[in-house]
Amino acid sequence: MTLRIALCQCGVEWEQPARNLARLEPQVAAAEADVVLLPELFATGFTLDPAGVAEGPGGPVAEALRRWAVQYDKAVAGSVAVVEDGCFYNRMYFVKPSGECAWYDKRHLFAPGGEARNYTPGNCRTVVEYKGFRFLLLVCYDLRFPVWSRCRCDYDAILCCASWPAPRREVWRTLLRARAIENQCYVAGVNRVGDDPSAHYAGDSALVDFKGRTLAEAGAGEQILTGALDDGALEAFREKFPAWRDADDFWIQI
């Protein structure tokens, strides 16, 4: 079985959710894929002060994702600033064409940039099953933490949405491949492009296979990058080279 995935590498208008949604919808509709992955905080930009733009669970941006998934018959994923019970979360949604929605709250907040001042970290991993594949959801800075994302034979691919600044672009490129190799999984990482008040973003979105090989990689401009995941090839490699059987046991204290 194969599954096509589209990485929507786009710019983001600062704190303009309605305009960003209007611009992104045609791209989602046109993507020839089973899953469309959008960048971190694609509707607002990576704002450190979410009070003015955060929405409640199931708010307008989440509802747009649900409508797109149902109307265009493809799963859609990306992160949104959400307020719930007085706390702000950088929440990644994964919405299926059925309208069913799963979410993951970013665990590792980018403290060096100030994200941890106003957002609350999540406390659990999320794995979503869709069309025979199991996806671990990660958001940007999470990619730096291998213990959190360690595969325990519970997923086949990592979906990572990001707002990763250009000065650290080689770190982004390296970590995508490192997570793929050590977990013997596919990794799909989408990053935004353009500028916001504090950073410039270079893109470098990529789809990487379980051997760390680049299946598709974007440059610096806006584009939709597509590629295919093959569960048969993944299973055959894991059986032929079963490094996962020698992984160390551990547990995570939260």
Side-chain angles (χ1 to χ4, degrees):
M1 180 182 296
T2 60
L3 178 143
R4 290 191 61 78
I5 186 165
L7 309 181
C8 189
Q9 180 171 290
C10 60
V12 180
E13 293 190 52
W14 184 247
E15 297 186 350
Q16 296 292 328
R19 287 160 61 173
N20 287 315
L21 292 176
R23 193 162 55 88
L24 281 169
E25 181 170 0
Q27 299 181 44
V28 173
E32 297 182 356
D34 302 295
V35 177
V36 178
L37 184 59
L38 304 171
E40 178 183 24
L41 298 180
F42 62 88
T44 60
F46 186 66
T47 177
L48 299 177
D49 185 11
V53 296
E55 64 181 40
V61 179
E63 176 56 27
L65 293 177
R66 190 201 66 79
R67 181 174 60 81
W68 295 349
V70 173
Q71 182 173 346
Y72 303 120
D73 192 30
K74 59 192 72 171
V76 186
S79 90
V80 180
V82 171
V83 58
E84 185 173 15
D85 297 328
C87 296
F88 296 105
Y89 298 94
N90 188 339
R91 178 166 293 175
M92 184 176 180
Y93 288 110
F94 185 103
V95 189
K96 300 178 183 180
S98 65
E100 179 186 353
C101 178
W103 66 85
Y104 162 72
D105 290 332
K106 185 177 182 181
R107 171 63 183 170
H108 300 93
L109 303 175
F110 188 55
E115 185 181 17
R117 286 197 299 268
N118 292 318
Y119 289 89
T120 298
N123 58 16
C124 63
R125 300 197 329 170
T126 298
V127 174
V128 181
E129 293 191 32
Y130 181 61
K131 287 201 169 185
F133 285 83
R134 299 167 299 168
F135 297 101
L136 176 71
L137 307 184
L138 296 181
V139 180
C140 202
Y141 194 47
D142 285 323
L143 196 63
R144 285 182 176 265
F145 300 92
V147 173
W148 183 251
S149 56
R150 183 66 174 171
C151 184
R152 303 177 182 181
C153 296
D154 58 342
Y155 68 81
D156 307 304
I158 292 172
L159 300 183
C160 181
C161 62
S163 291
W164 200 285
R168 296 186 289 277
R169 64 187 300 190
E170 288 305 317
V171 176
W172 160 258
R173 296 183 72 253
T174 300
L175 290 174
L176 289 175
R177 289 150 181 83
R179 298 293 85 83
I181 293 168
E182 70 193 12
N183 293 302
Q184 296 185 291
C185 70
Y186 289 100
V187 175
V190 65
N191 190 26
R192 64 159 294 183
V193 295
D195 300 276
D196 66 20
S198 62
H200 172 67
Y201 302 91
D204 299 311
S205 301
L207 180 62
V208 182
D209 81 356
F210 39 82
K211 294 182 180 180
R213 300 177 300 190
T214 302
L215 300 180
E217 186 170 26
E222 289 195 333
Q223 59 189 282
I224 297 178
L225 188 71
T226 60
L229 313 184
D230 184 328
D231 67 341
L234 172 62
E235 183 178 354
F237 177 69
R238 284 178 168 176
E239 286 300 312
K240 181 179 179 180
F241 190 76
W244 55 271
R245 294 176 182 167
D246 298 321
D248 299 303
D249 291 329
F250 65 93
W251 59 281
I252 299 174
Q253 182 175 2
I254 297 175

